[in-house]
Amino acid sequence: MTSEAKASHPLRGFFGSSAIRRVLLILLLAAIWEGYGRFLGDDLLFPSLSKTVAALFASTESGELPSRLANSLTTLGLGYAAGIALAAILTTLAISTRFGADLLSMLTSMFSPLPAVALLPMAILWFGIGQPAIVFVIMFSVLWVLVLNAQSGFHGVSPALRMTGYNLSLTGWRHVLFILAPAAFPSILSGLKIGWAFAWRTLIAAELVFGASSRSGGLGWFIAEHRNELAIDQVFAGMLVVILVGLLVEIGIFRTIEKVTVIRWGMQRG
Amino acid sequence: MLRSNSRVADMVPAGVVSAPAPLLALRDVTLTYANGGQQIIAAQNISLTVQTGDRIVLLGPSGCGKSTLLKAVGGFIRPAAGSIRLADKPITAPGPDRMMVFQEFDQLLPWKTVLGNVMFPMVASRKFDRKTARERARDIIRRVGLEAFVDAYPHTLSGGMKQRVAIARALVMEPKMLLMDEPFGALDALTRRRMQHELLSLWDDLRFTLIFVTHGIEEGIIIGSRLFVMTPHPGTIHTEINVNAYGDGSRAEPSFGRLAGEIEDLLLERPGMRNGLGYDI
């Protein structure tokens, strides 16, 4: 009875909700940001939250930030899609032939420790300065983690499930489509999620360093450009957008997909 | 009526009447598997025939080749020697005419509901259209007592319920035979007993042909109509016992206990049992 009384205390329920706790934490961090910015009083070193937000609105209104963001997302989309396509081909090769499997395990262990941005100087030599070079680098950043995850997903399909498929005379692509691919889906999805995070970081880094000449630069270029102009509130605004887009995709897209698929199916804990 | 029947019987050659063509015939089947480049014999010179409606139990300790034998009937393993024929055609590959039920709970598709799982073989094998498949699935799900769970995902079900779905999924295909590989092996003792009872009452309704692999002696006697005791190294059939007289209610009968004890002696190679069992074979 006492525990019931405790559980039903209104404040306990209020703080018990994780959404509310998160909002409170964000408010706290925002207050610290704002307070420290005002205390420092130096907009070149650390602009306050309110100034950053003002800059964010200003550059959104001028259309500069939205077009930069659109450029970034287009580049990212191209690189991500190319990475997925190539990963699909390589994974098919790896699960269907012994040679493909050996080749792939060697390639992944060689290339996955190499940060994709390190390829950018060469990519610029090969493709010239501009979008194609960045697309190539993003593709590279997504590829190995996707392949690694998909491959381990396919290898991890339980023998009973495989035999269930064969029992129904499912062979070849029908076995893959009806049994293997859905069973490997949790792994594939987590590969896509990690790949997205890699791609986003790689994109911003690449634009920041080498996106300079392109008139249609992206978010990274937005940050680099305004740093050169010493418009630090814009730099902060750019970083804030990088964070917000990252969170939005992670929570808005991937978390939603997880909820209606792998969590619902009990293949991954919620 | 009786007269005309006996007359028909008179006209048919005697051999055909006493031994109708078997549904399944294994002749001198030897099964091997590769282990580190070495061929290991899992089962040797197995011969047996199965008639429609038989409940065959393959009973033995691990390593006696009973599961391998079942998988060979399922078409997953090709015999190294001998022949396996189903309805007088050699078995060359797995097929939905021999539906398997495994011990592992993860044989169900976790991304499909109970209804989806039971519909899956009918749709994937293109044997039934979606609408018919749904109706048939609902019927069989009701029959195994899971009508309240049609829309549940497998991970929310208990072990016994998962095995019921697997059995429903297999039976809904109306296979020539149902092949069960220690299907109740991962269940607790009480659930196991209930599942045995339910399997037998399903058999009473549907009269499917069953091959059931187990290492549970009591389970084997209760489930089977014909029980094959297998011994390992290499796997061979030691004895066939007609256990049709024993059912779910036979546990308390003295002869049941005696039979179970004698099979146990045989499997544990206790002295005095080597020269065979004393009942109808």
Side-chain angles (χ1 to χ4, degrees):
Chain A
M1 217 175 131
T2 43
S3 70
E4 257 176 51
K6 256 185 198 167
S8 63
H9 190 280
L11 268 182
R12 177 171 280 266
F14 187 73
F15 288 107
S17 151
S18 76
I20 285 169
R21 261 183 290 136
R22 265 179 219 164
V23 169
L24 285 176
L25 266 177
I26 287 174
L27 288 178
L28 180 71
L29 288 174
I32 291 174
W33 180 357
E34 182 67 26
Y36 183 68
R38 285 180 187 224
F39 164 76
L40 205 63
D42 186 348
D43 288 349
L44 278 182
L45 280 182
F46 197 89
S48 68
L49 173 63
S50 52
K51 286 192 172 135
T52 303
V53 171
L56 183 68
F57 275 110
S59 51
T60 305
E61 239 172 308
S62 74
E64 187 195 0
L65 194 55
S67 85
R68 295 289 191 227
L69 180 60
N71 280 333
S72 279
L73 290 178
T74 316
T75 313
L76 180 95
L78 286 173
Y80 196 58
I84 291 173
L86 201 56
I89 295 171
L90 286 183
T91 308
T92 311
L93 209 67
I95 56 175
S96 51
T97 67
R98 181 87 227 154
F99 175 75
D102 290 346
L103 178 72
L104 204 65
S105 78
M106 190 177 282
L107 286 180
T108 42
S109 51
M110 267 167 61
F111 286 131
S112 60
L114 180 68
V117 189
L119 273 182
L120 197 57
M122 288 319 295
I124 285 173
L125 274 184
W126 294 331
F127 302 102
I129 293 177
Q131 205 185 36
I134 299 183
V135 168
F136 173 78
V137 169
I138 291 173
M139 186 199 76
F140 187 88
S141 76
V142 179
L143 181 61
W144 306 113
V145 63
L146 267 182
V147 167
L148 220 57
N149 268 270
Q151 205 184 1
S152 81
F154 282 112
H155 280 304
V157 180
S158 80
L161 209 51
R162 282 170 195 271
M163 298 231 281
T164 298
Y166 293 131
N167 195 184
L168 300 169
S169 300
L170 296 177
T171 50
W173 67 269
R174 297 185 79 222
H175 194 250
V176 175
L177 189 71
F178 284 126
I179 303 282
L180 299 183
F185 182 70
S187 258
I188 295 172
L189 184 64
S190 93
L192 286 171
K193 198 166 133 182
I194 303 168
W196 144 257
F198 280 5
W200 186 236
R201 284 160 180 71
T202 304
L203 170 77
I204 302 299
E207 287 178 343
L208 206 59
V209 186
F210 290 95
S213 83
S214 156
R215 195 176 290 166
S216 57
L219 263 182
W221 175 232
F222 178 90
I223 293 172
E225 194 181 37
H226 286 294
R227 199 210 73 101
N228 292 339
E229 295 164 358
L230 292 180
I232 305 303
D233 51 349
Q234 301 280 11
V235 173
F236 269 56
M239 293 196 293
L240 199 59
V241 172
V242 172
I243 293 174
L244 288 177
V245 171
L247 281 179
L248 215 69
V249 173
E250 172 95 30
I251 294 166
I253 298 179
F254 283 108
R255 193 71 191 155
T256 311
I257 295 178
E258 282 176 355
K259 262 186 198 155
V260 299
T261 58
V262 288
I263 292 173
R264 188 165 174 218
W265 303 335
M267 295 168 93
Q268 185 184 304
R269 272 168 213 267
Chain B
M1 214 47 179
L2 240 168
R3 268 181 80 97
S4 73
N5 260 352
S6 59
R7 209 178 256 171
V8 171
D10 284 344
M11 283 154 69
V12 177
V16 176
V17 173
S18 62
L23 175 64
L24 178 79
L26 281 74
R27 183 163 300 157
D28 295 326
V29 171
T30 296
L31 301 166
T32 59
Y33 60 92
N35 188 3
Q38 211 181 341
Q39 287 294 316
I40 293 179
I41 296 171
Q44 198 168 35
N45 291 328
I46 307 273
S47 293
L48 65 93
T49 56
V50 178
Q51 304 294 337
T52 305
D54 274 352
R55 299 189 311 276
I56 305 292
V57 167
L58 304 176
L59 173 72
S62 29
C64 72
K66 56 192 192 301
S67 282
T68 316
L69 192 60
L70 191 78
K71 288 198 176 84
V73 174
F76 294 100
I77 300 168
R78 289 279 196 90
S83 74
I84 306 177
R85 296 174 81 84
L86 177 72
D88 216 28
K89 288 193 194 84
I91 287 175
T92 55
D97 55 349
R98 287 148 285 144
M99 289 296 285
M100 302 268 310
V101 173
F102 303 98
Q103 183 186 72
E104 293 85 1
F105 297 146
D106 59 12
Q107 65 190 295
L108 299 180
L109 316 179
W111 58 91
K112 283 186 183 289
T113 60
V114 168
L115 183 68
N117 263 287
V118 177
M119 281 172 67
F120 177 70
M122 293 187 277
V123 176
S125 66
R126 298 172 176 150
K127 212 175 152 190
F128 299 92
D129 65 80
R130 271 194 165 274
K131 191 167 166 285
T132 320
R134 179 166 295 125
E135 280 162 18
R136 291 175 57 86
R138 284 188 182 278
D139 269 358
I140 194 100
I141 290 168
R142 197 173 312 122
R143 196 157 229 160
V144 297
L146 289 177
E147 61 268 50
F149 298 92
V150 276
D151 295 321
Y153 284 94
H155 74 105
T156 62
L157 304 178
S158 69
M161 289 155 95
K162 283 179 191 162
Q163 292 312 78
R164 275 190 208 121
V165 177
I167 293 168
R169 178 175 77 176
L171 286 177
V172 81
M173 292 293 283
E174 291 178 4
K176 288 206 181 81
M177 43 180 42
L178 179 63
L179 309 178
M180 304 181 89
D181 193 359
E182 302 192 33
F184 308 145
L187 301 175
D188 65 86
L190 287 174
T191 312
R192 192 173 182 155
R193 280 206 181 190
R194 198 157 75 213
M195 295 297 293
Q196 292 163 358
H197 173 79
E198 286 181 19
L199 181 65
L200 285 176
S201 62
L202 277 172
W203 184 86
D204 278 337
D205 286 351
L206 307 171
R207 301 281 161 164
F208 44 87
T209 309
L210 173 68
I211 303 184
F212 188 102
V213 163
T214 182
H215 57 243
I217 296 170
E218 291 196 359
E219 180 170 82
I221 300 173
I222 288 166
I223 294 290
S225 59
R226 296 161 67 200
L227 182 136
F228 291 85
V229 181
M230 295 182 68
T231 48
H233 313 301
T236 41
I237 290 176
H238 186 283
T239 321
E240 178 185 345
I241 306 167
N242 184 336
V243 290
N244 205 13
Y246 301 100
D248 196 33
S250 313
R251 269 176 244 261
E253 293 169 20
S255 64
F256 179 91
R258 251 196 331 270
L259 177 58
E262 283 174 45
I263 295 174
E264 191 177 318
D265 287 343
L266 188 149
L267 290 175
L268 296 176
E269 297 183 63
R270 286 190 189 132
M273 288 309 303
R274 301 315 305 262
N275 43 8
L277 303 164
Y279 14 83
D280 54 350
I281 282 170

